[in-house]
Amino acid sequence: MRKADAENKDIFLLDKTKAMSHHIFILSPTDTPLYSLTHYSSKPVQSTGSSLSSNLPSWSTSAFAGTLTALSGASSATQHHTSGGGGVRVGGGQDRHVIQMIANASLDAIEEVMRRDSAMYLKSVDKFNEWIVSAFVTAGNKDMKFIILHETKNDDGIKVFFNDLWELYVKTAMNPFHTAHTPIRSAVFDSRVRASAKKNL
Amino acid sequence: MPPTLPASLSPHICIVSSPDVEVALRSGALPSLPQILQSFSPVSSVTARTSTLIQHPQFALRFSDLAEIEEACREDEEERANRTIDWISSRVSEKAAKWVEIMNRTRSEGVTTPWWEELKKCAEGNVVPSRTEGWNHPVAIIFAVSTIAANPLQALQDLHARQIDLPPWVDPTYLRCTLIIQCGTSSLSDPITESLFNAVKKQYNNSHLLKLTLPSPPPSGVPSPALLPQLPNNSEVSGPDAPQPQTQTESFTIKMIETDLASTAKFVRELAVESLIPWMGKWVLEWNEAYSSSRRLPSRLFSSTRRLFGTGSISNSPAQGSVSLPSHGHTGSTSSVASLPGNTTPLAQQRRLAEFATILGDYKLAIPIWEVVRKEGKGGSEILPLLLTASPAVGLHAKHAIGSISTSYPASMLVTALVYTVRWDVGITKQDFLSRELEGERWLVWAAGSAEEAPAALLLAHAAQLSVIKGARRRAALWFLFAANRLEKCGIKPLTTYFLRRAQMMYESPIEKELSPSFWESEDKSPKDWKGFEGIVPGIEHALGRLLYTTGDVEAAVKLFLGLLKGVSSASPSLSLPGPFVGPNGAVVALPTQEAQVNLDKIFLEDFRVAFSHWVDTAGAKVDLASFRLPITFCKPKLTKLRLRDDQSGDDKGEWEEREREWTGFWRARGGKEKLDNRRRGVVNEAIWADFVLKNPLQVDVELTDLTVVVKEAGKTQVSKPQEGLVEVEEIDRISLAPGEQRTIPISIRSLRPTRLVLTELTYKFFASIPCSEPLGTRGRRLNDTIVQRQNMTYAPDVFIEVETEECRQRLDTSFVEDKQVALIQGERKRLELWINNTGVEDVNEVWMVSGPENVVWVEKSAAEKPTGSSEEVFQSPNSVSNPTPSPIRIEDYTGLGVLKPEGYFRLPIVYHADRVEDSNICLMFVYRLDDGGFRSARASLSVQVQPAFEISISSKPGRGGDTEFSLSLEVENTTPSTSLKISQISTMSPSWTCHCPTDGFIVDLPPSQIVCVGLGVRRWENGAEGIEDTRQFVRRKIGVVLRGEEIDPSEPPPLEVSCSHFSGPDPTLTFDSEDISYLVRQNKRKLVRQSLSRTYPSIPSASHQTVFPLYNPASLDMLVFWEVPSQKRAGHILVSGLTLGAEHGDLRGIIEEAESAKVKRSMYAETQKEKMEVMQAVKGGEWNVNSNPVVVSVKYELVVEHDFESGSCSVPVTFVISNCSLTHPAKFVFRLPSSESKKGSSSHILSPQYTGRRTFRGLVERSQTRELHAKMWIYRPGTYSLDGWVVESEVGDRQEDGTWKTRHRYSSQLGQQHQVNSGISCVTVRSVSKSA
């Protein structure tokens, strides 16, 4: 328990200092996630006064703050315990599906943009509350989709990151045993994506 | 076509009536006056006149009671908004269950959903004036009296005199109308009423007379459309005894006769057409004039500026696309000021103008004014989307409208946003609303904001519903989920459940993809195998499960929770392993996502446990556990193995296969056709172990109970109790698996009759109650036989583990008596015993032991031969390196009978020689014959550990002539840390040499870490010369065959006589007369030779070694060191092999030259050529082609010579002995002594002698012969004289039949180069001795 408390404290500190999180997904042409990464930017964040969670109505019950924190882009590791219902709700796991749901929902917008725009970098295609969704679609007949959920606009950085990601993906895809549905587990790929994310996001 | 405005944007008319009106209406069983009049709205075919004539097919009016409005206006706006939200929530909550039932029944996918309709009605029904907009500000007030009043005129006067208690911010511009209701029951006659009306008309403008008969009893009436629900006033609900607010939201009947209905309709129409609309039109014109005049100058300026900037003038066209909206920064200031409670400023006239113009339908006039109002920050953005045609700018208006709502009062913010959204939804056509330009569904989401209230949730739900219609199902799924999450907080569970299900349905519904059909083919996947985000479905289902549990549907909840226990999917991408990340302060923080998975599994399992136990407690006997399916599997069928009693550990598998091959080869070579039956079979009534590998895929502890396996009989159809009478299967009570643990669980199966058993499935109980079964079949092989099979993936039927069981007729069990590892010393001869046991029911009469080529094992005969005392012996060796063949076990030697009876047994003694220093297993296979002529095998293995004990080295040097051709030096070191050894005997074996020991009584104690050196003399043994030559010829012939690449004939080398010399102490000598020593040594030698051959000739297959190479090289000399540890009664021997003595001269030279000069056969394969070259190189460098100088020179001299130099110089004789070490050839030599002072000594103080007389000697030495050369040194001063510096040239050749000499090889050497055996320089010291002295 003590360890968990310590972790909570860490996470609380993290919240305070407001590490900006980026959720990165690589999706197959059939929208199956092949790779995903949660990157916490170490770059300073412009003070966003109108944070959703700080703007909660006073009369609002805060029991569902788990999803709200996910929506407002706070660390997805926040833990909330609610009694009743025979279970304990934990922010980390519960929020993950909301993030994934947002990424999934953005596919509607991405496909719509893809239909009218032939560019690979689609910029910000959608917005869900605080989350901006930027996308990149690879060329060729196997349209791999790269998606980033981010909180502040950073078109140039994201473009560079996407180009890096594309290059890394192409290298991975050159493996003759790699199909459009092979989950990417390469440690090298992962570390390079992290490096690029650290540099650009 | 102007848009149809929502009803909430219609004129609001307040009614203030005298009490008698209420009495009159109640007497006629009628509702209140506003409600009656509301039933007649809208009025059809109305023409409005402002700047133009506008036709309204329908014109709506809203009626309300002024008193209620006054009271509502007194209430705090925020408080009222809060009440509104609660009121809507309670209405939704009441009806949710019914709606869900309807929706589930109809499965409607349309725009209309009951909750949205409800929300719309609630929002539209609001008539209370607002500070920020004027739509609900009354445009007219009707003062109504009835003729049943005692004094209608007085009553009217009282009404008019009544203070209108509306707040100051309510627009005071309203029309005052007077209504006199003439009731049929009143005492006033028609003329009196008329005169009253005329009087009133004179006094008050806009007076109307409504004649109602109001018969008693009331007629059946006419149904009226339902009125919009309205928030009950605060006072109505605040008191504890207050009755429930009566709201006529359901359709009701107006109990009026036809004439009354007609007159009421006429009144409403007259009110609208004759009074209200002209009045409003007048105000529009008037205000417009004022507005135009105030705007004239700036307008001109503005338009000129426009021209300067080159754009067109302001267009009133609704299609205008460029709408510049102020940014968020400075918006809302006005509106927020306007919303302050203390603000009493009436609404701006411009806004009222815009509102009136909009109500009257003069949009051409209204739009520019709204634009101006918007620019001034006084609202308008919310109305423009209704009036303008669809364009992206409209979306910005909507966004601005929602964004500019004051954020200080969240409840009123939500209510206002709701009202706006409802207006847009009603006022904009669906096609436009959902178009790509507007994306109206997003407006709803903006409006919902972050509020966790039922209206916000329903806004999201409607947005989701609109997205479904648009085809954006994934977005719909998200919004349904959000809606459900918010609604859950409000406790409206039926709708929450419904939304969650919709979210899941939307997420899982397949999306049509524009992918080539060959994409799926190339990916080897079916479009149905779609796998989305792994976290979404569990997230939804868990929430759903918890809801179901709390709403009482425990069974469904339990099923959902059970379905969530999927563990970490192996196919999921690396989301579950995000690894560390760098926090903002540079510290590396581990994100506990892996832990999150652990937590998730824990939560899911805990929820399941709680729900399940609750369900079992409550449902009792109705619990149907069979319908539960666990989504995970624990067993890994591919890793499942069957273990029979005879099976050994997996490490020895290769060894046993080798034994089987050895036996098969042996038996076939003997001409036998019977086969060794090595099928794995179980025995009836004997345990067969099935090892199941269970892996816990969850990250929590899991307990399985009653774990067992279902066994069926092969080929039998399903029977109810398949195991009865067939097998007895063990059942394991309880198994606990840690998170992610993999464990092997053995289950014993006992067959009750001979049959073929199939292990079909593993069964267990999860949570001690849910029965689960996992099939044990693995997918069959891919079929490729037909075209269809090749084109479509087809697999053979599943493969199950099968085992045959049989009655045991003849069965031999063999095992070592020792059951644990045996520790041996290097070279130890260990006597071991085996149990040979017949466990069958019939006799066993033939048993063979297959020990394999690596194990040196001797089956001890019944009577061991005693050692003899002979120190010299000769034995004839078969000289073959062939591996030992399986040896028959003579049963009668051990049992006294020719057969081994059932349940009979005997001990088989064997001697094992530990010649390898390593840990190994002695694997012995015993083959016994069955009744039907076939064979079956039994196995016995024993682990041995052999410790090194000796370092042995041998060196040889040429002898100094005479009897000793070579002298050997043997060094034996005891390397054990503590064992004291005794060297009991040393034996030598050679076909060409025999040894003698200079000393007698040889026996040495060798304490730990001590070395013993033994010197032996070697001389030639001539008796075996014939066999040696045969052996050499055999090797020449066979290697010739190999080099020519011909087929090697299977003949083995001729036998060879081997001379042995034994040197031992007083103990009896071990000789090769004893079969065991002879056998063991031969096997030792065979192993060493074969190892050496494999190293030297890697290109010649080891299987053909026995037909090419003999066991003994004629020149070789082997030594055997016998040792004992008397205290431990241990004994053993070590064979040292590989020493060859004497010179040889490229015995194979002719064959090699022949092979090299043969016509080259080109092979198309480079590998063949390379292999040939390798063979050639190996043969050239091999031990059978050694080429060495046979001539060895030794010097005989006196070390010190004394001479009196006064008498002159002296002559010192020196004898050089030329030895020919060749075993085969004579050698010619030329020996030259150094000329005087041709060479200095190696050191300055050593002098070079001067030789006198003959300096060059020539001659011939026969093989193994020596010749002495006598020379004289002429010494003229004392000193030390070196005897080196000579040169010997030799040639080896054959003497031909005609006496001529044919040289084979030439060699040349000098002292110091040739042999170092004399270690050091030979020197003669000549000392001067004076005779006079």
Side-chain angles (χ1 to χ4, degrees), chain B residues 363-578:
Chain B
Y363 304 136
K364 204 176 167 186
L365 176 71
I367 290 168
I369 302 169
W370 279 122
E371 288 279 2
V372 171
V373 170
R374 182 184 66 72
K375 281 174 190 158
E376 287 171 1
K378 292 175 183 169
S381 302
E382 77 277 14
I383 292 302
L384 282 167
L386 297 174
L387 308 180
L388 299 174
T389 50
S391 72
V394 174
L396 295 176
H397 280 302
K399 194 170 191 176
H400 178 233
I402 290 167
S404 60
I405 302 170
S406 162
T407 54
S408 320
Y409 299 99
S412 52
M413 185 176 88
L414 177 63
V415 172
T416 316
L418 173 68
V419 168
Y420 287 175
T421 339
V422 167
R423 280 182 199 157
W424 293 328
D425 185 70
V426 176
I428 303 175
T429 58
K430 277 291 153 296
Q431 199 183 350
D432 283 349
F433 196 59
L434 297 180
S435 66
R436 214 175 65 194
E437 286 80 23
L438 297 197
E439 291 198 310
E441 74 277 10
R442 287 180 187 272
W443 303 0
L444 273 68
V445 178
W446 299 334
S450 59
E452 291 179 342
E453 292 296 338
L458 294 181
L459 279 170
L460 283 170
H462 189 59
Q465 187 70 23
L466 292 177
S467 294
V468 174
I469 293 161
K470 256 180 102 170
R473 287 168 167 261
R474 291 169 285 203
R475 198 181 302 144
L478 178 71
W479 285 339
F480 270 128
L481 180 74
F482 284 179
N485 283 340
R486 295 192 191 184
L487 215 50
E488 192 190 3
K489 300 292 159 299
C490 311
I492 305 172
K493 283 173 179 163
L495 260 187
T496 311
T497 315
Y498 178 77
F499 288 157
L500 278 176
R501 286 195 200 280
R502 285 298 301 269
Q504 188 174 3
M505 204 167 79
M506 288 299 122
Y507 172 70
E508 286 176 343
S509 63
I511 305 285
E512 193 71 23
K513 286 274 170 191
E514 291 164 0
L515 286 166
S516 153
S518 59
F519 172 79
W520 298 105
E521 208 173 295
S522 71
E523 288 287 310
D524 191 17
K525 267 176 116 62
S526 157
K528 289 172 192 158
D529 296 344
W530 176 72
K531 255 191 234 154
F533 292 83
E534 33 131 47
I536 292 181
V537 172
I540 296 174
E541 284 185 345
H542 185 232
L544 200 55
R546 286 174 57 238
L547 264 177
L548 289 175
Y549 178 68
T550 47
T551 50
D553 191 356
V554 186
E555 186 178 350
V558 169
K559 280 185 180 166
L560 272 174
F561 288 140
L562 189 65
L564 289 173
L565 298 173
K566 290 184 180 133
V568 182
S569 155
S570 59
S572 64
S574 55
L575 187 76
S576 53
L577 301 165

Side-chain angles (χ1 to χ4, degrees), chain A residues 28-109:
Chain A
S28 75
T30 54
D31 303 338
T32 304
L34 305 183
Y35 173 84
S36 61
L37 173 73
T38 304
H39 172 76
Y40 289 82
S41 172
S42 52
K43 289 183 182 172
V45 192
Q46 303 92 319
S47 61
T48 46
S50 61
S51 163
L52 193 71
S53 48
S54 69
N55 199 19
L56 281 176
S58 55
W59 43 270
S60 161
T61 51
S62 61
F64 200 68
T67 302
L68 277 177
T69 46
L71 295 177
S72 63
S75 161
S76 64
T78 348
Q79 300 201 348
H80 293 276
H81 298 268
T82 57
S83 56
V88 180
R89 181 192 289 273
V90 175
Q94 292 282 324
D95 293 352
R96 197 164 56 131
H97 84 266
V98 178
I99 293 291
Q100 292 181 358
M101 203 80 183
I102 292 172
N104 185 60
S106 71
L107 290 170
D108 279 327

Side-chain angles (χ1 to χ4, degrees), chain B residues 50 85 147 220 265 366 404 415 466 591 739 782 791 874 885 905 998 1091 1155 1169 1210 1214 1237 1279 1327:
Chain B
T50 53
I85 289 169
T147 51
S220 59
S404 60
V415 172
L466 292 177
L591 184 71
R782 169 88 193 264
Q791 285 172 348
V874 174
T885 54
Y905 66 91
Q1091 281 168 14
Q1169 201 63 29
C1210 79
V1214 182
E1237 298 183 10
R1327 230 180 329 176

Side-chain angles (χ1 to χ4, degrees), chain B residues 154-167:
Chain B
Q154 183 58 43
L156 204 57
Q157 253 173 0
D158 290 349
L159 282 183
H160 275 279
R162 178 184 182 276
Q163 178 72 35
I164 305 293
D165 187 18
L166 287 172

